[in-house]
Amino acid sequence: MTKKKCIRSTVILLFIFTILPLPAHAYIDPSSGSYVLQAILASLLAVPFVIKKYWNKIKDVFKRSK
């Protein structure tokens, strides 16, 4: 199977799996929702700190490319 056919069949399978509803048989309590929200907010707020930490290295990459 060629790479293009493999990618195409993978995309089709993923599309089918996302459309077909499957029963979860699970319970998500309210604290789980707040934990997910906290994780998302922490990730978003961590990005500026990581950029600040590596700012000089990022600038050097763009200076070398010119």
Side-chain angles (χ1 to χ4, degrees):
M1 197 188 285
T2 64
K3 187 176 181 181
K4 192 173 185 178
K5 285 183 180 180
C6 184
I7 292 173
R8 184 177 179 196
S9 62
T10 303
V11 169
I12 290 171
L13 282 174
L14 287 173
F15 182 72
I16 290 172
F17 285 137
T18 56
I19 288 180
L20 296 175
L22 298 174
H25 302 296
Y27 170 74
I28 300 176
D29 60 347
S31 62
S32 298
S34 64
Y35 179 73
V36 170
L37 180 63
Q38 181 182 357
I40 291 170
L41 288 175
S43 300
L44 291 175
L45 292 174
V47 170
F49 291 104
V50 171
I51 290 174
K52 183 180 177 184
K53 182 175 181 177
Y54 295 107
W55 181 249
N56 288 328
K57 292 180 183 180
I58 294 171
K59 284 193 319 188
D60 290 341
V61 168
F62 288 112
K63 283 182 183 178
R64 289 184 205 152
S65 64
K66 290 183 180 180

